Amino acid sequence: DCPNYAANIYGNADITADSLDYYNEGAALVSGNAVTSPSPASVNTTVDDPLAGALPAPSLAVTSPDSAGTEAVPAMTTINSGGAVSLNPGVFWGGLNILGNTNVALNPGVYVVAGGDFETWGNGSITGTGVMIYITGSPGPADCGQVSMYGNRVLDFTPASSGDYKDITVWQDENCTADFQYHGNVTGVHGVIYTPGARFDLLGNVDLGGIQVISDTIKITGNTSINMNFTSYVGSTSDAKISLTE
């Protein structure tokens, strides 16, 4: 029942999926040279957000030993050594910026980026097993940063296989409304990317890996080739599809 189109597909867009659904009180528009396979289909049931209210907010009590800032004095943590670096979980007060050709290994745990951006640039890699990244504000939602993943960086980190955050790789606080930017030739995340209050913005040749995206809005632009190896981590969705949740 969106006032505008649930799906607005135009330009030279070409979408192939098992199904492309929208709730029948809304609408889908395919215009210009855009092609979809199959055509968008009206369905009579809405899709609930399977994670709404289901995840406990991570604790901000433990500051990462690698954080350049503190709760009292936030500061951006910048990783730009050009070599190999290991990071430990906890709160990064003021943001986390991974630059250049640095190869970063994330030790297992929850990484909270509080009150600043989470940015990755360059040609290095970020790897880790049993990892969740949580984006939130500090001290309030107005201080939320933005997620920006740019460059030719290889992302090969996977979520926990059990516990409160099973299968959740990146979670952006619903009060954080800045776009989640996934641009460039970024490859390889696995798990759920959850941005309930923000737009998931794709640009470039992106290999998304084995993921499930749950977002307020999704925007795909440019001469973009996107490969998503859909995995049904949460909810009742068993097919690879694009659905509008209400």
Side-chain angles (χ1 to χ4, degrees), residues 32-86:
N33 296 319
V35 177
T36 69
S37 177
S39 297
S42 169
V43 296
N44 294 321
T45 56
T46 60
V47 179
D48 294 327
D49 179 348
L51 294 176
L55 300 174
S59 171
L60 275 65
V62 179
T63 299
S64 170
D66 303 309
S67 176
T70 64
E71 183 176 9
V73 185
M76 173 69 76
T77 300
T78 299
I79 309 298
N80 190 22
S81 69
V85 175
S86 293

Side-chain angles (χ1 to χ4, degrees), residues 4 55 72 84 100 106 111 119 135 157 168 182 207 236 238:
N4 298 311
L55 300 174
L106 301 177
Y111 292 74
E119 300 180 329
I135 312 300
F157 51 92
I168 310 299
Y182 210 126
D207 185 344
S236 59
S238 59

Side-chain angles (χ1 to χ4, degrees), residues 9 15-22 28 30 34-42:
I9 305 164
I15 296 178
T16 301
D18 291 341
S19 58
L20 181 61
D21 299 343
Y22 65 91
V30 181
V35 177
T36 69
S37 177
S39 297
S42 169

Side-chain angles (χ1 to χ4, degrees), residues 111-129:
Y111 292 74
V112 178
V113 180
D117 297 336
F118 175 58
E119 300 180 329
T120 69
W121 303 75
N123 301 316
S125 64
I126 304 176
T127 61
T129 301

Side-chain angles (χ1 to χ4, degrees), residues 17 30 70 98 110-111 127 146 165 194 209 232:
V30 181
T70 64
I98 300 173
V110 176
Y111 292 74
T127 61
Q146 185 172 45
Y165 307 116
Y194 184 42
S232 181

Side-chain angles (χ1 to χ4, degrees), residues 120-125 150-155 183-187 205:
T120 69
W121 303 75
N123 301 316
S125 64
Y150 291 140
N152 299 314
R153 187 168 294 278
V154 174
L155 305 176
H183 294 181
N185 297 318
V186 182
T187 61
N205 297 314

